[in-house]
Amino acid sequence: QKEVEQDPGPLSVPEGAIVSLNCTYSNSAFQYFMWYRQYSRKGPELLMYTYSSGNKEDGRFTAQVDKSSKYISLFIRDSQPSDSATYLCAMRGNAGGTSYGKLTFGQGTILTVHP
Amino acid sequence: DSGVTQTPKHLITATGQRVTLRCSPRSGDLSVYWYQQSLDQGLQFLIHYYNGEERAKGNILERFSAQQFPDLHSELNLSSLELGDSALYFCASSVGLAHTGELFFGEGSRLTVL
């Protein structure tokens, strides 16, 4: 069983829809959570970073973390065709001062927003 | 454009061969990370170098090795290649140790082993 599970989709929604992307994890050592977006033929880029349970909002994006359930979500409001990409959840433990960039990624969810 | 440069973009080689992938981090970034992305395993951490020293290692095969040079560029060496090594290899960089989880990824080097 993988440490991080993410439904690969694909997910297709109409423009303007609210999108919900989710990941579950099994390793209770994970304390810091990220969402990366990857456009076709590009490298991933960081969208959201959070470390506490609850919601964090940034524009049309809201990241939600529930550590008790080991479940994280990313919501996209008023989705646009330009949001079409693969969304990867990522997480790490405390790192102990060694490497905060040693991330465990989900498989990624392919999202298409059609006009 | 993330500012991270990877070469070559595409590479086709045969089983048993050896290849070197090169990465130039963003100007000023001291950390370089290597990740492997494949269809079945997703994006997996290989290794992290900080200012020339190995900082952390993931599930990197013994046939793979990496180094970071004094000018901070990094190379990932893959030897005795197998079909299963076919993947997209990403380099990423960060200013320090990436406390905020922000890694800047290059566009990747796609390796095909025939």
Side-chain angles (χ1 to χ4, degrees):
Chain A
Q1 184 189 2
K2 294 186 178 186
E3 286 186 295
V4 180
E5 297 282 355
Q6 183 177 7
D7 186 342
L11 189 59
S12 181
V13 302
E15 183 174 354
I18 296 174
V19 176
S20 172
L21 305 165
N22 311 295
C23 287
T24 59
Y25 62 97
S26 57
N27 189 343
S28 57
F30 289 142
Q31 296 294 319
Y32 300 84
F33 306 92
M34 288 133 274
W35 284 95
Y36 275 80
R37 177 175 63 194
Q38 184 175 16
Y39 289 116
S40 181
R41 302 183 189 282
K42 298 291 186 182
E45 57 179 340
L46 181 67
L47 271 179
M48 301 281 285
Y49 168 82
T50 183
Y51 56 87
S52 56
S53 283
N55 294 349
K56 179 179 180 180
E57 194 172 311
D58 184 2
R60 295 185 295 111
F61 299 91
T62 299
Q64 187 176 80
V65 173
D66 182 347
K67 290 186 181 180
S68 62
S69 301
K70 296 190 178 64
Y71 188 89
I72 68 171
S73 299
L74 177 71
F75 297 96
I76 307 175
R77 290 184 299 281
D78 188 26
S79 56
Q80 302 296 308
S82 59
D83 295 327
S84 298
T86 297
Y87 290 80
L88 299 144
C89 62
M91 47 198 78
R92 65 166 177 86
N94 278 321
T98 55
S99 178
Y100 300 97
K102 183 180 179 181
L103 306 178
T104 300
F105 283 84
Q107 284 284 98
T109 299
I110 300 170
L111 171 67
T112 301
V113 181
H114 51 86
Chain B
D1 184 3
S2 67
V4 177
T5 303
Q6 289 188 246
T7 57
K9 290 192 184 304
H10 301 277
L11 192 55
I12 302 174
T13 189
T15 54
Q17 296 299 303
R18 172 190 169 95
V19 298
T20 296
L21 309 180
R22 182 187 168 101
C23 170
S24 294
R26 293 187 321 156
S27 177
D29 284 359
L30 298 179
S31 279
V32 169
Y33 310 81
W34 287 97
Y35 278 81
Q36 179 193 57
Q37 188 174 43
S38 61
L39 281 175
D40 55 341
Q41 295 293 324
L43 196 58
Q44 291 205 308
F45 171 78
L46 294 179
I47 199 163
H48 170 202
Y49 276 86
Y50 177 77
N51 203 20
E53 293 190 4
E54 183 183 302
R55 194 77 183 186
K57 204 177 245 192
N59 294 328
I60 186 168
L61 299 172
E62 285 191 12
R63 300 183 286 107
F64 295 3
S65 65
Q67 55 184 325
Q68 186 180 28
F69 296 87
D71 67 353
L72 301 178
H73 91 273
S74 178
E75 292 181 357
L76 179 66
N77 300 294
L78 315 174
S79 62
S80 301
L81 286 167
E82 301 176 359
L83 295 177
D85 298 328
S86 296
L88 196 51
Y89 291 85
F90 282 106
C91 170
S93 72
S94 65
V95 174
L97 299 179
H99 292 83
T100 61
E102 185 159 26
L103 306 184
F104 294 88
F105 283 83
E107 295 192 350
S109 292
R110 182 171 295 280
L111 173 66
T112 302
V113 182
L114 300 176

